[in-house]
Amino acid sequence: MTTAHELTKNQTLVFNTLSRADGPLSAYTILDQLRGDGFRAPLQVYRALEKLLDYGMVHRLESINAFVACAHPHNHSHSHGMTAFAICEKCGQVSEFSDDVITQRVRQWTTDNGFKQTKTTIEIRGVCAACGTA
Amino acid sequence: MTTAHELTKNQTLVFNTLSRADGPLSAYTILDQLRGDGFRAPLQVYRALEKLLDYGMVHRLESINAFVACAHPHNHSHSHGMTAFAICEKCGQVSEFSDDVITQRVRQWTTDNGFKQTKTTIEIRGVCAACGTA
DNA sequence: TCTCGATATGTGATGTTATTACATTAGTCA
DNA sequence: TGACTAATGTAATAACATCACATATCGAGA
Ligand SMILES: [Zn+2]
Ligand SMILES: [Zn+2]
Ligand SMILES: [Zn+2]
Ligand SMILES: [Zn+2]
């Protein structure tokens, strides 16, 4: 079901920047990294991000105003469930996972309450195993 | 276990503003509503919000950069579980709830992965029952 | 091939959200 | 009193995001 999306030049540049990064980047950090490629304005980044988010290739981390490449590069659908993120406040590493039980419980609540969900954000802030023992 | 906190003047003003509102407010909206009470700068709002968040009297909605008074005004602890929010994109109404199963599953993941969580954000965006049938 | 419409891009200005830095005021307690 | 802490006031700045308008690119059909 994974549709291959033909990325435009700017989308490719932004996606590659995120893919190479070892953690989430802010839009302005991406902009700075792409100055050498001709990027001059935030909108160039935000427009590319908008598409990449649509395609499911990138996620937005609401709690830190940053963006990260999807951890499942060959399966951009996330068709079955909601995605959760654990964000380390020490090293910035993000772990992406999904949990069917959580997905079901959220769906249960929305069903029970007549709420039509369009997007769900689950972000766990804290300290990762590596940083916790360091 | 609910500790009564003595609020300062600014904290009281900000909390009352949020309590009277029928939905979440941005810090700058709060500021505007408090101009008549002598508020002149964002920091006055942010400093009060910081304390109110500490006390658990107010929640920050990460996905919309806004703040809302806790829906459980006489029990600011949230001691037992994580709080989730359903945010209507039509009318702005926020429903606050907590689900033990979700809390347990998140804890399970963090335990399994050695992740020390400090705060967890769960926000469901969509359309509430009232707006969905309107 | 030409024209049209849709999509993508370039650019400056502006809007929105949050913090830094420093000065001042008010309460607490030897 | 003096010394300390918490709270407040204010200006400036930083960080994040969008609007408005111009230009470019590309493909479907006349
Ligand atoms: Zn993903
Ligand atoms: Zn870490
Ligand atoms: Zn609450
Ligand atoms: Zn609604």
Side-chain angles (χ1 to χ4, degrees):
Chain A
M1 219 45 96
T2 298
T3 306
H5 293 282
E6 284 304 318
L7 298 186
T8 66
K9 174 164 144 284
N10 286 2
Q11 287 159 20
T12 302
L13 287 165
V14 169
F15 183 65
N16 288 344
T17 301
L18 281 174
S19 295
R20 279 192 291 264
D22 65 346
L25 301 179
S26 77
Y28 278 73
T29 301
I30 296 170
L31 174 58
D32 286 341
Q33 297 199 9
L34 290 176
R35 298 256 181 218
D37 295 284
F39 272 48
R40 327 206 83 223
L43 203 48
Q44 295 174 288
V45 177
Y46 282 109
R47 284 202 276 227
L49 285 172
E50 184 179 16
K51 292 293 185 185
L52 295 170
L53 290 166
D54 276 354
Y55 301 156
M57 300 171 68
V58 161
H59 299 290
R60 175 188 174 86
L61 302 177
E62 307 279 4
S63 66
I64 58 173
N65 295 324
F67 303 85
V68 67
C70 179
H72 310 118
H74 299 301
N75 174 17
H76 294 133
S77 57
H78 301 92
S79 43
H80 315 307
M82 299 160 193
T83 305
F85 301 89
I87 306 166
C88 179
E89 307 196 300
K90 286 266 200 286
C91 69
Q93 283 291 330
V94 174
S95 299
E96 176 179 345
F97 69 99
S98 77
D99 182 293
D100 291 340
V101 175
I102 293 174
T103 299
Q104 283 312 113
R105 292 297 286 188
V106 170
R107 282 206 227 288
Q108 185 70 55
W109 188 93
T110 58
T111 300
D112 291 349
N113 291 271
F115 192 95
K116 292 197 178 58
Q117 78 171 319
T118 56
K119 181 173 194 275
T120 297
T121 297
I122 304 174
E123 296 177 18
I124 308 167
R125 308 285 299 276
V127 180
C128 77
C131 293
T133 59
Chain B
M1 220 47 102
T2 299
T3 305
H5 293 282
E6 285 304 319
L7 298 185
T8 66
K9 174 164 144 283
N10 286 4
Q11 288 160 19
T12 302
L13 287 165
V14 169
F15 183 65
N16 288 344
T17 301
L18 281 173
S19 296
R20 279 192 292 264
D22 65 346
L25 301 178
S26 76
Y28 279 76
T29 300
I30 296 170
L31 174 57
D32 285 340
Q33 297 198 10
L34 290 176
R35 298 257 182 219
D37 295 285
F39 272 48
R40 324 207 89 222
L43 201 49
Q44 294 175 288
V45 177
Y46 283 110
R47 285 203 276 228
L49 285 172
E50 184 179 16
K51 290 296 186 182
L52 294 169
L53 290 165
D54 276 353
Y55 301 157
M57 300 172 68
V58 161
H59 298 291
R60 174 188 177 88
L61 302 177
E62 308 279 5
S63 66
I64 57 173
N65 295 324
F67 303 86
V68 67
C70 177
H72 310 118
H74 299 303
N75 176 18
H76 295 132
S77 57
H78 302 93
S79 42
H80 314 307
M82 298 161 194
T83 305
F85 302 89
I87 305 167
C88 177
E89 306 194 303
K90 287 264 200 289
C91 70
Q93 283 291 328
V94 174
S95 298
E96 176 179 344
F97 68 99
S98 78
D99 182 294
D100 290 340
V101 176
I102 293 175
T103 298
Q104 284 310 114
R105 292 298 285 190
V106 170
R107 283 206 226 287
Q108 185 69 55
W109 188 94
T110 58
T111 300
D112 291 348
N113 290 271
F115 191 96
K116 290 197 179 57
Q117 77 170 318
T118 56
K119 181 172 194 271
T120 296
T121 297
I122 305 174
E123 295 178 18
I124 309 167
R125 309 284 299 274
V127 180
C128 76
C131 293
T133 60

